[in-house]
Amino acid sequence: MSDYERSTVFSTRQVFEKAHEVLTTRAELERTAESRHSATYTGGEGTVEIEAHRHGPSTVVTIRTDRLRTSKVDGVVRYLMNQLPYQHGDSPRE
């Protein structure tokens, strides 16, 4: 029900590594599906689908949830998006 999009200098691999770290620890979700450019995480807090595609020097990340923007999982997704730097040298934001 909620969609988020962000560009980052992280590679697709780095995006999925960071997503796995954040979603499994902060939202207690488990990875239930994955492919080269996408991953799905599911748990008691809901379902999160992530897509990442490299375009030149940046990666476009799209994340969809099945919950309202006020849910816990959406708060975790917003946190995750803030951990993806726009440019080299950017520090994560809370």
Side-chain angles (χ1 to χ4, degrees):
M1 291 176 54
S2 299
D3 292 0
Y4 302 90
E5 187 170 282
R6 177 156 183 157
S7 292
T8 180
V9 294
F10 272 7
S11 67
T12 57
R13 177 186 218 160
Q14 290 172 299
V15 168
F16 289 120
E17 287 172 355
K18 180 56 81 174
H20 185 76
E21 173 191 326
V22 170
L23 295 174
T24 58
T25 59
R26 289 184 173 253
E28 299 176 355
L29 301 178
E30 293 184 21
R31 186 170 43 215
T32 55
E34 66 181 307
S35 70
R36 186 172 174 202
H37 295 284
S38 67
T40 302
Y41 289 81
T42 305
E45 295 296 329
T47 299
V48 175
E49 297 175 358
I50 304 168
E51 292 181 2
H53 298 276
R54 191 75 178 175
H55 297 282
S58 64
T59 300
V60 176
V61 180
T62 304
I63 302 180
R64 293 178 186 85
T65 74
D66 66 343
R67 305 293 174 163
L68 298 173
R69 288 188 186 270
T70 56
S71 70
K72 176 183 176 180
V73 76
D74 278 77
V76 172
V77 166
R78 287 190 299 274
Y79 172 84
L80 169 60
M81 292 299 234
N82 283 331
Q83 303 308 299
L84 306 176
Y86 283 117
Q87 298 176 351
H88 292 285
D90 284 352
S91 56
R93 299 180 303 170
E94 289 296 318

